[in-house]
Amino acid sequence: MCVNFIPVNTVELQRFGLGALAAPWPQECWQDYNAPIVLSGGLRLASYGFVPKHRLPDGKKYTTMNARAESIGEKPTFKSAWHQGKLCLVPMQAFFEPCYETGRAVRMRIEMADGEPFAVAGLWREWRINDVLSEFSFTQITINADEHPLMRRMHRPGEEKRSLVIVPPEQYNAWLNCDSPELARTFLNPFPAELMRATPDPVRR
């Protein structure tokens, strides 16, 4: 699962052809941090984690930064948004996963081989504050990566390997405008490993 990524900056965001956002966001994104997401209707600044911590019932502790593709349509947390087609793209420069090939966890920066920004498949929801204001949150969708040449190197030995779903640019509009869960599932595919790279990158938090 991914719990940390680098959102695109304001200049890179303009490459998606959707204008700009006025509010700033952190250079690195963790749970409950804001980051830009792309909806079919435009840009939103949203909190990372489908259910923000301040929205959890008292005493509840669980994370919703990732949604498994295999169960996204059945899990109570995600199923309503999934069946309503609340799909989004999460633009980013890189995301991070631990690699244990040296015998200890090494944080790996995973990005495009050409260094260009990219976007991953996500799900969003709106939280009404009052009649005028709303806040937004999102989760990133993951798939099994046991056979992926790059992503199978990540996470602890013996654990299932997972990967974010990277959406090719030519599929952005089609993903955002999927009109059924069955169609949306056809986009949840591994991304070619030869177009990605992973390099060690210690935490800068």
Side-chain angles (χ1 to χ4, degrees), residues 35-52:
I37 62 172
V38 182
L39 315 184
S40 59
L43 294 171
R44 293 289 187 275
L45 200 61
S47 177
Y48 184 27
F50 203 66
V51 183

Side-chain angles (χ1 to χ4, degrees), residues 1 33 60 67 76 79-80 86 94 108 120 136 141 147 168 198:
M1 60 181 283
Y33 286 27
K60 290 286 186 179
K79 67 179 183 180
S80 177
K86 292 188 175 181
M108 303 293 285
V120 305
F136 296 83
I141 301 174
E147 303 302 321

Side-chain angles (χ1 to χ4, degrees), residues 22-44:
W25 54 89
Q27 291 183 346
E28 287 199 32
C29 188
W30 303 79
Q31 184 178 8
D32 284 340
Y33 286 27
N34 283 336
I37 62 172
V38 182
L39 315 184
S40 59
L43 294 171
R44 293 289 187 275

Side-chain angles (χ1 to χ4, degrees), residues 50 66-87 122-123 139-143 162 175 180-185 188:
F50 203 66
N66 300 154
R68 295 173 63 92
E70 298 87 345
S71 58
I72 196 171
E74 292 77 42
K75 287 287 185 181
T77 301
F78 306 117
K79 67 179 183 180
S80 177
W82 173 252
H83 288 287
Q84 291 174 25
K86 292 188 175 181
L87 308 177
L123 199 65
T139 187
Q140 298 168 348
I141 301 174
T142 70
I143 54 175
R162 305 291 298 178
W175 164 253
S180 73
E182 292 75 19
L183 179 59
R185 284 196 180 278
L188 306 182

Side-chain angles (χ1 to χ4, degrees), residues 121-204:
L123 199 65
W124 66 275
R125 70 172 294 176
E126 180 180 9
W127 304 85
R128 296 295 295 177
I129 299 173
N130 54 43
D131 291 342
V132 177
L133 298 176
S134 294
E135 62 182 10
F136 296 83
S137 62
F138 70 95
T139 187
Q140 298 168 348
I141 301 174
T142 70
I143 54 175
N144 180 274
D146 286 343
E147 303 302 321
H148 192 273
L150 176 63
M151 298 307 298
R152 70 184 181 190
R153 297 172 49 203
M154 307 301 153
H155 301 290
R156 293 180 183 275
E159 288 185 349
E160 181 192 6
K161 310 306 180 182
R162 305 291 298 178
S163 176
L164 297 180
V165 176
I166 299 173
V167 181
E170 64 272 16
Q171 296 180 5
Y172 287 172
N173 287 335
W175 164 253
L176 293 174
N177 292 285
C178 281
D179 57 6
S180 73
E182 292 75 19
L183 179 59
R185 284 196 180 278
T186 66
F187 290 82
L188 306 182
N189 302 308
F191 195 76
E194 64 271 18
L195 300 180
M196 305 166 66
R197 68 182 176 203
T199 52
D201 193 336
V203 175
R204 297 187 302 275

